[in-house]
Amino acid sequence: MSTLRKILVNKDKHCKSVWFMRQAGRYLPEFRKIRSQNPDFIELCLNSELSSEITLQPIKRFNLDSAIIFSDILMTPYALGQEVKFIKDQGPELSDFNTERFLDKKEKEFSHKLNPVYKAIEKTRKNLDKDKSLIAFIGAPWTLLVYMINIKKNKNEINFNKLNQKDININQILDKLIKFLCIHIQNQVNAGADIIQIFDSWAGLLPENIIKDYCFVPNAKIVEFCKKEKIPNICFPKGIKEKYEDFNRIVNPDGINLDYDIDPLWVKNKLKDVVIQGGLDPKILLKSEKEMLEGATKYIQAFKDIPYIFNLGHGLLPETDPDRVKKLIEFYRNN
Ligand code: 1CP
């Protein structure tokens, strides 16, 4: 059994396990080389051979305990018929959302379009040591919706006028998304993934009055599906501050990833009956080695008596020095 499953499923508090969000990506020269030869990001995600190779790059380099499949949360809107483009230094851009066409999408076509992702998972599983987990992931419905109907004004603001347009029935869209996301989860597990992480990266932009309907309830429905299918799951409701407590109570996932805003000591008191993952600010890897190791110590100490998976409070930044990543892993394993 992998160390990640020992912690997440068996709640083994003595076991150590480390992986990083965005471990396969832009801070690695070997990734940048492949990326420079593949200008279309979606095409790269649909290239099973290369996706699998990229997934294994950080495992070869650092011998991490788990691999996370190289793909993107926006592969879901892509498979649901929207065109997805990544504009350099601007982030993703999706073609106009058409409610009718979206609601009409069929399961078979959706799974067919994502087949290369499942092939990449199969291939990776064959080349990954038995004692390592292969993590697959989805974007949570709210976070996907933010991109799909293009409602983010800037880094920290939602265009609520657009969200409340009469021709967009949000609940109907969320329900359809949940259904397709559960299919995507099941397909990834059937292909060989053994853990699912659910990224709700924009949960922190939801106001108090709708966070339950748009974040807690959709995440809860997906976690319920995972539990029914015995799929170990980790939720990441980024930016929701003390509402982590409500989230944990209502959604009740196997694991919860902390963001870097939340105090680990608060977490220890307030989040019960859940495995804790991550928390360390990825920016700390850009500071001095001393600061980085002090930062890591805070998390290692806070969670030494409970099941804890070492990771970050968001993805590794593109400017991170890979040698720093190596140091951090060594430090965690030796402490
Ligand atoms: O080279 C490039 O320009 C592409 C950069 C890149 C990479 C390497 C993007 C574009 N996505 C990815 C891969 C990716 N995305 C992974 C791979 C596996 C790994 O973690 O190693 C994962 C898990 C994701 C998940 C993802 N994509 C999230 C959730 C996590 C998070 O960061 O909050 C989100 C929000 C996205 C959307 C996305 N994909 C890429 C960009 C630039 C964005 C937008 C982010 C934003 O709007 O800030």
Side-chain angles (χ1 to χ4, degrees), residues 13 114 252:
K13 61 183 184 189
L114 291 172
N252 194 220

Side-chain angles (χ1 to χ4, degrees), residues 122 124 173 196 218 276 279:
E122 268 175 37
T124 308
I173 296 171
I196 292 288
I276 305 294

Side-chain angles (χ1 to χ4, degrees), residues 21-24 26 31 35 41 68-73 86 92 137 147 199 201-202 314:
M21 292 183 280
R22 299 284 177 111
Q23 65 188 25
R26 290 166 296 181
F31 169 76
R35 181 74 171 103
F41 183 72
I68 177 163
I69 190 68
F70 181 78
S71 174
D72 200 88
I73 62 165
F86 289 85
F137 62 91
Y147 292 106
F199 288 100
S201 303
W202 300 116
H314 204 193

Side-chain angles (χ1 to χ4, degrees), residues 241-252:
K241 302 203 157 70
E242 66 284 351
K243 290 198 192 69
Y244 258 95
E245 196 180 358
D246 291 338
F247 183 98
N248 188 45
R249 188 173 33 81
I250 295 168
V251 179
N252 194 220

Side-chain angles (χ1 to χ4, degrees), residues 237-268:
K238 185 174 180 290
I240 63 170
K241 302 203 157 70
E242 66 284 351
K243 290 198 192 69
Y244 258 95
E245 196 180 358
D246 291 338
F247 183 98
N248 188 45
R249 188 173 33 81
I250 295 168
V251 179
N252 194 220
D254 294 326
I256 199 161
N257 199 109
L258 309 181
D259 63 38
Y260 47 79
D261 272 341
I262 194 150
D263 179 7
L265 298 175
W266 179 91
V267 167
K268 216 180 153 188

Side-chain angles (χ1 to χ4, degrees), residues 22-216:
R22 299 284 177 111
Q23 65 188 25
R26 290 166 296 181
Y27 72 106
L28 286 180
E30 55 270 39
F31 169 76
R32 283 204 295 270
K33 182 156 178 261
I34 295 182
R35 181 74 171 103
S36 68
Q37 293 154 357
N38 294 271
D40 186 325
F41 183 72
I42 294 286
E43 294 253 312
L44 180 56
C45 292
L46 292 171
N47 182 328
S48 314
E49 197 83 30
L50 287 179
S51 291
S52 177
E53 187 183 332
I54 295 168
T55 303
L56 294 168
Q57 282 176 346
I59 311 301
K60 289 199 178 119
R61 206 187 241 264
F62 307 118
N63 190 29
L64 287 146
D65 296 311
S66 302
I68 177 163
I69 190 68
F70 181 78
S71 174
D72 200 88
I73 62 165
L74 298 177
M75 295 310 285
T76 301
Y78 157 81
L80 286 165
Q82 277 182 286
E83 202 187 325
V84 181
K85 281 196 197 132
F86 289 85
I87 320 275
K88 208 171 166 15
D89 303 323
Q90 270 188 48
E93 202 177 278
L94 276 63
S95 60
D96 283 346
F97 181 77
N98 179 305
T99 309
E100 229 169 285
R101 232 183 302 146
F102 169 78
L103 293 174
D104 200 40
K105 270 288 156 210
K106 303 285 181 290
E107 183 182 323
K108 211 170 148 196
E109 188 195 344
F110 173 79
S111 294
H112 179 73
K113 282 188 90 168
L114 291 172
N115 203 39
V117 176
Y118 310 137
K119 285 269 163 307
I121 292 175
E122 268 175 37
K123 209 175 162 47
T124 308
R125 187 63 273 182
K126 283 198 192 106
N127 291 311
L128 188 67
D129 289 354
K130 293 266 175 308
D131 63 351
K132 295 191 192 290
S133 268
L134 178 53
I135 303 160
F137 62 91
I138 58 159
W142 161 250
T143 288
L144 291 182
L145 194 73
V146 167
Y147 292 106
M148 288 167 71
I149 60 175
N150 191 19
I151 48 173
K152 200 151 57 67
K153 278 205 233 165
N154 55 44
K155 222 172 154 20
N156 298 311
E157 223 186 325
I158 292 293
N159 182 345
F160 282 100
N161 292 334
K162 204 162 174 185
L163 183 66
N164 297 326
Q165 268 170 21
K166 283 188 197 57
D167 60 327
I168 299 185
N169 181 336
I170 300 293
N171 288 323
Q172 205 180 9
I173 296 171
L174 289 176
D175 277 343
K176 175 104 180 178
L177 265 176
I178 291 167
K179 186 174 149 216
F180 279 87
L181 288 168
C182 289
I183 294 168
H184 190 30
I185 289 174
Q186 190 68 66
N187 289 342
Q188 294 188 90
V189 170
N190 292 348
D194 66 310
I195 307 278
I196 292 288
Q197 177 134 334
I198 305 164
F199 288 100
D200 215 345
S201 303
W202 300 116
L205 301 186
L206 280 164
E208 179 101 34
N209 60 333
I210 53 173
I211 195 169
K212 182 161 180 272
D213 288 347
Y214 290 4
C215 169
F216 300 169

